[in-house]
Each structure stands twice: as C-alpha cells, then as structure tokens.
Amino acid sequence: MAHIQRRGGVGIGLEATPGTAVTPAYWLQVDGNPTIGDKFEFANIESARGRVEKSQGQKLMKKKGEGSVEMILDEVACVIPLAMILGSGISASAGGGLYTHTLTIANSNTPKTGTIVLDRITDIRKFAGSVITGLELKVSDGFAMMKMDFVSNESATGAASESYST
C-alpha cells in the first residue's frame, strides 16, 4: 500500500535515547494532510552602535520541528502516543485479533521521545526528539480518530521504507 505524495506517509518509532533518531516501528493511517514542518524563530538586531537605521537584519535564534497528524486509530497506533506521554507501553496479542496494552507511568524528568518521519517520496524528513504536546480522541459511528500534536528537534533528511499492515 502506497501513499499520495502531497500528503505523505507518516511513521513513528519510540527512541531508546532521547533525540537519537530511530527507524519507524509503525506507519500511521493518516486522515487528511499532516501539518508537519520546521519552524524558525528570528530576532531583530537592534544595536545602535554606528548605525542610523533601527534594525540591522535578523539573527536565527531557534530551530525546531512541530506539527500535527490525524490518524485512524487502530490496535497499535493508540499505544505509541500514550506511551510517549506516560513513559512506557508494551503490547501483546491476546489472540483473536485482540491486544493487551500495558502502559506504565515513568516517574522521572526524562521524557519518552519518538522519531516521526514524513515521507513525501522526494523529500523525506525525520523529526527526532519528538514529544507529544496534545492528544485528541474522536469516537463516532465511523472510524475512531486520534489527533497528535508534537514538537521536536529540527528535522533531518533520511531514507524511509514504509510498510503498512492491513
């Protein structure tokens, strides 16, 4: 199963060491266009030494990645963002298409981070050190949906090999 290039495929994997990129363990079933990208914050240079004009340009102060992804919720996708928020998550098949998920709250100051990969075929971006900033669940007569908001380190280029489960 492939994805539409303008939407991109979105993969996610939990990092063992915060900020160290990993290969996505799961490719999400994205609904709509993901809004994922790099954000840059600039500050005006306004020193008055030997200059008449108020601003002498700008300086890049901060680089980060951020975005949101809305996905169809399934038995695997639900655990990854919850494990990132709470600290750890383990899934095991209970048979008959059912899964048992064990989520444990980590009582530490070290956040559980993940790598989020946006694969647009010609432009593959990896957002390492991602942490969840918001999570929204929607349940209706159709598919159960989850919207995940995150911030991360600045993106890096890389390769991706998608694999979707049916």
Side-chain angles (χ1 to χ4, degrees):
M1 178 176 155
H3 65 269
I4 299 171
Q5 183 175 352
R6 68 178 165 76
R7 278 194 178 173
V10 178
I12 189 168
L14 294 175
E15 298 171 350
T17 305
T20 303
V22 297
T23 302
Y26 188 74
W27 289 89
L28 306 173
Q29 297 180 50
V30 177
D31 184 55
N33 294 331
T35 57
I36 302 173
D38 287 316
K39 303 294 180 193
F40 303 98
E41 293 180 19
F42 294 91
N44 290 328
I45 301 170
E46 296 182 354
S47 67
R49 287 186 305 192
R51 302 298 295 229
V52 177
E53 62 270 75
K54 181 178 179 181
S55 177
Q56 300 166 31
Q58 294 182 327
K59 180 174 173 135
L60 179 61
M61 301 302 284
K62 187 188 286 188
K63 297 185 267 188
K64 64 179 179 177
E66 69 177 35
S68 66
V69 178
E70 190 164 359
M71 66 194 100
I72 297 173
L73 200 57
D74 62 25
E75 69 278 358
V76 179
C78 66
V79 176
I80 297 171
L82 292 173
M84 288 173 66
I85 292 169
L86 297 173
S88 72
I90 299 170
S91 299
S93 176
L98 302 175
Y99 284 80
T100 301
H101 303 295
T102 306
L103 296 165
T104 306
I105 297 173
N107 190 18
S108 86
N109 290 328
T110 305
K112 188 66 175 172
T113 60
T115 299
I116 297 176
V117 175
L118 176 62
D119 179 4
R120 288 201 169 126
I121 300 170
T122 58
D123 179 31
I124 300 169
R125 309 301 295 177
K126 290 186 174 192
F127 296 86
S130 298
V131 292
I132 304 294
T133 58
L135 199 63
E136 183 179 317
L137 295 171
K138 292 187 225 172
V139 181
S140 65
D141 290 340
F143 290 111
M145 305 296 290
M146 178 186 281
K147 182 181 176 192
M148 174 180 70
D149 301 322
F150 72 94
V151 295
S152 71
N153 297 335
E154 171 188 17
S155 73
T157 59
S161 179
E162 295 176 43
S163 122
Y164 293 92
S165 57
T166 56

